[in-house]
Amino acid sequence: IYTLSLHDALPISAVLSWINTVPGFVLQSTPSLVPTTWNPVAQPVVENGNLNIVIDTLGSGPQFYRLVK
């Protein structure tokens, strides 16, 4: 089981990270869970040690994230 961590970086961005020991995971997001349309996050993934890190810019509404393989 892999865990996606979320931390506030600034009021307009979120830092998401997950362990990178197993490759092939893709970070996706959606602004709504009903209906749900998941899309890959456009921001680049940066490797830092054993973590993958993405800094995503937040909009004015909610944003939901998931890892898929």
Side-chain angles (χ1 to χ4, degrees):
I1 295 177
Y2 287 86
T3 302
L4 177 64
S5 298
L6 172 66
H7 304 279
D8 292 334
L10 298 170
I12 59 168
S13 62
V15 177
L16 299 110
S17 62
W18 64 98
I19 198 161
N20 63 11
T21 55
V22 176
F25 284 94
V26 176
L27 181 63
Q28 295 180 333
S29 67
T30 185
S32 174
L33 295 177
V34 178
T36 304
T37 303
W38 293 98
N39 294 300
V41 173
Q43 305 303 325
V45 177
V46 176
E47 288 190 26
N48 184 1
N50 67 343
L51 290 178
N52 286 329
I53 300 171
V54 172
I55 299 175
D56 194 27
T57 303
L58 300 175
S60 60
Q63 194 70 4
F64 302 92
Y65 296 93
R66 73 177 183 179
L67 283 176
V68 294
K69 185 167 178 151

